[in-house]
Amino acid sequence: MRVGFIGLGNLGLPLAVSTVRAGHRTKGFDIDGDRLEIFLEHGGVAANSVADAARYGEVVVTGLPDAADVESVALGRGNFLDSMAVSSVYVDMSTIDPHSTRRIGSAFEEMGMEMIDAPVARTLEMAWAGKSLLMVGGNPAAIERARPVLDAVSELVIHCGPLGNGAATKLTNNFLANGILAVAVEALGIGLKSGLSLETILETVRLTGTFNKMMLENLPAHAFRGEFEPGFRSVLAHKDQRLAFRLAEAHGIHAPLGTATLEVLSELVAAHPDLDLSAMLKQPEMQAGFSARFAASEQTGGNVARRNPSCG
């Protein structure tokens, strides 16, 4: 298929490259020339504008930071709504709120065009391998029309219901992930300051009902090795928590733990906006004076498989 891909950021780039690798003719656009250059090195074609990418694609994909970015690109000045063919399908892989998704979708519906939302989960490593998970909302017929592109970037597509339900699913999942991580780093502090080894804590978690991937996979992949390069930037995690918290408020759900997690993320963003979400570990380490790090032998091998930090 011909694919127009708008937004070649940390996650958008491997997704766009995956469409090229799957044999789709993909025109990509990004305001960052360096990201675009990497895309070209992987066989992609450069679009000279948002409209150019949209005009080209039978499936047009956006992967952008926030709702305002999606709305500006899709509906604002220089938008692609007027450039897309009526027969094309618009797929938004950004993580935004369902209300914004449905508002944007209404504008496409008025033009007789289809939009689906398909936010992405799993790690950057899996995104580069074309093995992401997509949480998709929209008309089943439109999803099937976009299926060749969805399958190119993922190994699992979950149909969550109508348009906007993909976004709601992603925010629900990230709300939970952020909370698990916040509790995990506090628990590590309690255990380590009490004289336990990191390995003892991990082995206990692995064998009990507290088993969770944040503790056993995401943190060991980099944070326990002192590496905090962004896989999922803390500023984006904060944005997702804020959007999920707004959903809770809109539905009358009292979420004190979500409030506390949002405060922790606000502190993290103030200190380390461009580090990975796992840098949340650095805050209690500095405050309480402990270090959650593998021993030297674990740094070069160890029993925990290395993986990139979660993309959410």
Side-chain angles (χ1 to χ4, degrees):
M1 299 186 77
R2 295 189 314 277
V3 181
F5 208 108
I6 301 161
L8 303 174
N10 205 34
L11 182 58
L13 179 60
L15 296 176
V17 168
S18 292
T19 68
V20 174
R21 191 185 302 121
H24 301 299
R25 294 162 290 169
T26 307
K27 259 191 176 184
F29 178 80
D30 197 280
I31 58 175
D32 186 332
D34 292 338
R35 306 295 293 183
L36 188 57
E37 188 62 34
I38 297 171
F39 176 64
L40 299 183
E41 291 171 359
H42 282 85
V45 177
N48 56 37
S49 67
V50 165
D52 182 33
R55 193 178 302 114
Y56 179 79
E58 296 170 88
V59 174
V60 179
V61 182
T62 48
L64 300 167
D66 210 339
D69 304 296
V70 177
E71 194 153 4
S72 175
V73 165
L75 306 178
R77 185 175 181 181
N79 69 75
F80 61 76
L81 176 58
D82 294 330
S83 302
M84 276 180 59
V86 174
S87 59
S88 296
V89 179
Y90 170 36
V91 182
D92 182 32
M93 293 187 180
S94 315
T95 299
I96 64 175
D97 63 281
H99 177 73
S100 295
T101 296
R102 291 166 184 147
R103 183 174 63 249
I104 295 166
S106 294
F108 280 81
E109 185 178 7
E110 289 174 3
M111 299 288 286
M113 301 161 76
E114 294 275 13
M115 174 184 175
I116 65 176
D117 63 319
V120 184
R122 294 187 172 169
T123 66
L124 276 183
E125 181 182 58
M126 297 181 85
W128 279 107
K131 295 182 177 181
S132 292
L133 180 151
L134 300 180
M135 294 152 279
V136 182
N139 186 317
I143 294 170
E144 288 310 306
R145 284 162 57 199
R147 176 69 67 169
V149 174
L150 303 182
D151 288 344
V153 304
S154 73
E155 66 175 2
L156 183 60
V157 174
I158 301 174
H159 185 202
C160 304
L163 182 67
N165 276 24
T169 304
K170 177 65 184 290
L171 293 180
T172 299
N173 185 72
N174 280 20
F175 185 88
L176 180 58
N178 291 337
I180 291 171
L181 180 59
V183 171
V185 299
E186 291 183 5
L188 284 166
I190 294 170
L192 292 171
K193 289 292 285 186
S194 298
L196 302 180
S197 70
L198 180 56
E199 290 73 19
T200 296
I201 296 170
L202 294 179
E203 186 66 3
T204 303
V205 169
R206 187 177 70 83
L207 296 172
T208 66
T210 59
F211 184 103
N212 69 88
K213 285 193 172 186
M214 282 293 181
M215 187 77 92
L216 296 175
E217 293 184 8
N218 293 27
L219 289 171
H222 287 270
F224 291 165
R225 303 171 192 275
E227 302 168 4
F228 298 98
E229 294 79 8
F232 184 39
R233 291 168 58 219
S234 62
V235 68
L236 295 179
H238 179 267
K239 179 262 297 183
D240 291 355
Q241 186 74 11
R242 171 174 49 81
L243 293 178
F245 187 72
R246 286 181 181 175
L247 273 184
E249 287 185 319
H251 294 303
I253 296 169
H254 182 51
L257 299 181
T259 302
T261 302
L262 184 60
E263 291 174 357
V264 170
L265 284 165
S266 296
E267 293 176 4
L268 174 60
V269 168
H272 308 291
D274 293 319
L275 291 186
D276 187 72
L277 170 62
S278 62
M280 189 185 293
L281 178 63
K282 293 169 72 72
Q283 295 169 279
E285 283 184 330
M286 293 178 63
Q287 292 165 355
F290 67 90
S291 179
R293 299 290 182 273
F294 285 139
S297 60
E298 286 279 0
Q299 295 282 358
T300 56
N303 299 319
V304 184
R306 292 198 63 170
R307 301 186 185 181
N308 280 334
S310 174
C311 296

